[in-house]
């Protein structure tokens, strides 16, 4: 009898332990046709940074599908524009580092130089290609130390295709688009009626039913954060949509592309008092929250504390599993890093390249797991 009970307990333990990494059904699967599970709001958000791009080339449909399968709450994307004004999901304003554009001889004349934020940049710029031309390219992994087997397989996707991936998911998936390089896009792409890049982003979101203030009934049906490094863009769209917005924060010495302020100024209490009228949170680079020296984290700044005092959420970027990015304090263990940022620093969301790892950590440490 005692042996039987022990075996039963062991079996139950194994079942709950193996439940740590929940693989959710993919969009289109039969399992996902019932009523959708709502987005969780009881723990820090798992934000799939450009999809699950630690495994699959960034900002591609398979990278987003993998992130959904692995348990992401939000899928994040960078929004840029093609020459003909179609919004695309792509991080860099040049195509060089993450596509095979250099192998397309027919596009050799598109290799150009433009001034970007006061310095000359050279490469194949997204806004010199129509959508039809961009669709001829194939993506590749940004980092050589990551899996290269998917290079050359997947095309660039449009912003509308990205939204469709979230919409068709078997549970409620939030989207987290960035209005990327708005000054540059507005300089080189012209839309009918004098509309701006920001107008087109908001119009697209509204077309698919996105809107509503944070945690409102409408928002919970289609969760959305709109992010940008350009504060003037977020202020501008506040007149177009009540969707929650997040101001991204770079290194404190860097200048904003639009207001020519340093991010040290942007993170002052005076500025927080101003910007909190327009945004619900900030998305800081991790090192602005916890400085690093000789690959060891130092004492944290008061940025998270002060942001919370202003009722601003904090969603730092970017969490990565590789030893190249894990500071020595964490013994090359991403779970230790997550534990530190969630339990000691107290962040409200995390941008990660490895959604499965963050999901595992949160499931294993959940009292309901």
């Amino acid at each position: 009898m005692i042996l039987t009970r022990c075996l039963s307990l062991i079996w139950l333990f194994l079942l709950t332990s193996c439940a740590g990494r929940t693989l959710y059904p993919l969009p289109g699967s039969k399992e996902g046709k019932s009523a959708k599970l709502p987005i969780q709001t009881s723990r820090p958000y798992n934000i799939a940074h450009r999809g699950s791009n630690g495994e699959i080339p960034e900002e591609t449909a398979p990278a987003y599908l993998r992130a959904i399968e692995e348990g992401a709450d939000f899928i994040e994307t960078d929004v840029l524009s093609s020459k003909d004004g179609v919004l695309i999901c792509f991080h860099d304003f040049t195509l060089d580092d993450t596509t095979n554009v250099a192998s397309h001889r027919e596009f050799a004349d598109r290799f150009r130089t433009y001034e970007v934020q006061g310095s000359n940049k050279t490469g194949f710029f997204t806004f010199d290609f129509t959508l039809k031309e961009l669709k001829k390219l194939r993506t590749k992994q940004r980092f050589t130390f990551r899996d290269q087997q998917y290079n050359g397989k997947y095309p660039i996707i449009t912003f509308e295709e990205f939204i469709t991936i979230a919409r068709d998911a078997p549970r409620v998936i939030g989207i987290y688009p960035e209005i990327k390089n708005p000054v540059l896009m507005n300089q080189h792409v012209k839309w009918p009626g004098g509309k701006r890049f920001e107008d087109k982003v908001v119009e697209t979101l509204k077309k698919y039913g996105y809107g509503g203030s944070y945690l409102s009934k409408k928002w919970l049906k289609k969760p959305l954060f709109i992010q940008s490094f350009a504060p003037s863009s977020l202020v501008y769209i506040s007149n177009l949509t009540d969707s929650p917005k997040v101001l991204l924060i770079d290194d404190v010495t860097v200048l904003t592309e639009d207001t020519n302020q340093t991010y040290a100024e942007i993170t002052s209490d005076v500025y927080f008092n101003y910007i909190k009228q327009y945004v619900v949170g900030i998305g800081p680079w991790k090192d602005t929250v916890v400085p690093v020296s000789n690959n060891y984290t130092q004492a944290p700044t008061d940025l998270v504390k002060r942001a919370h005092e202003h009722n601003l959420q904090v969603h730092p970027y970017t969490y990565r599993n590789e030893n190249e990015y894990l500071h020595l304090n964490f013994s090359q263990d991403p779970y230790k890093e997550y534990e530190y940022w969630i339990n000691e620093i107290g962040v409200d969301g995390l941008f990660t390249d490895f959604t499965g790892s963050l999901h595992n950590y949160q499931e294993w440490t959940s009292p309901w797991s």
Side-chain angles (χ1 to χ4, degrees), residues 34-232:
S34 57
K36 291 187 176 184
L37 287 172
I39 192 167
Q40 69 80 25
T41 57
S42 61
R43 65 190 187 192
Y45 293 124
N46 184 336
I47 307 162
H49 182 242
R50 309 180 205 166
S52 189
N53 85 87
E55 303 173 55
I56 299 174
E58 64 188 50
E59 317 237 24
T60 59
Y64 291 119
L65 292 171
R66 178 67 62 83
I68 292 170
E69 181 186 22
E70 290 181 336
D73 300 313
F74 286 84
I75 52 174
E76 185 263 356
T77 194
D78 305 277
V79 183
L80 291 173
S81 180
S82 65
K83 182 178 181 178
D84 46 346
V86 180
L87 302 183
I88 61 169
C89 295
F90 205 77
H91 179 267
D92 301 353
F93 48 73
T94 57
L95 299 159
D96 306 52
D97 288 345
T98 55
T99 76
N100 62 352
V101 64
S103 66
H104 284 260
R105 294 182 179 179
E106 70 271 28
F107 298 139
D109 63 336
R110 311 291 175 87
F111 192 72
R112 297 168 185 173
T113 299
Y114 293 101
E115 183 179 314
V116 181
Q117 290 182 252
S119 61
N120 288 334
K121 303 293 183 183
T122 300
F124 295 94
F125 288 75
T126 65
F127 51 75
D128 282 333
F129 293 75
T130 65
L131 177 64
K132 184 177 179 180
E133 291 170 333
L134 289 172
K135 284 291 189 179
K136 293 180 181 179
L137 308 179
R138 291 296 177 267
T139 57
K140 63 181 181 180
Q141 180 59 257
R142 179 180 295 273
F143 300 112
T144 57
F145 50 79
R146 289 182 174 171
D147 192 349
Q148 305 293 305
Q149 68 171 312
Y150 302 109
N151 291 352
K153 292 187 176 182
Y154 307 128
I156 294 171
I157 63 172
T158 67
F159 186 37
E160 293 197 51
E161 289 170 333
F162 166 82
I163 291 172
T164 300
I165 291 171
R167 185 189 64 184
D168 291 347
R171 57 192 172 86
V172 175
I173 295 293
I175 62 172
Y176 210 129
E178 178 185 343
I179 298 175
K180 192 77 175 177
N181 302 114
V183 173
L184 187 67
M185 292 300 106
N186 284 316
Q187 285 175 343
H188 293 277
V189 184
K190 303 303 176 185
W191 286 274
K195 290 187 176 180
R196 292 169 49 164
F197 177 49
E198 295 94 330
D199 293 316
K200 300 304 294 183
V201 173
V202 174
E203 281 180 10
T204 304
L205 291 168
K206 287 183 174 181
K207 175 181 175 180
Y208 288 91
Y210 285 91
S213 58
Y214 180 60
L215 294 182
S216 65
K217 288 183 178 179
K218 185 174 183 180
W219 185 89
L220 287 169
K221 290 179 180 178
K222 293 185 177 181
L224 162 71
F225 289 108
I226 304 172
Q227 55 174 329
S228 184
F229 283 101
S232 64

Side-chain angles (χ1 to χ4, degrees), residues 319 330 333-347 350 358 361 365:
Y319 298 85
F330 305 121
D333 184 347
Y335 300 115
K336 286 186 177 181
E337 183 179 37
Y338 290 137
E339 182 177 14
Y340 172 74
W341 282 88
I342 291 172
N343 296 325
E344 294 191 38
I345 302 300
V347 299
L350 303 92
L358 177 53
Y361 171 80
T365 56

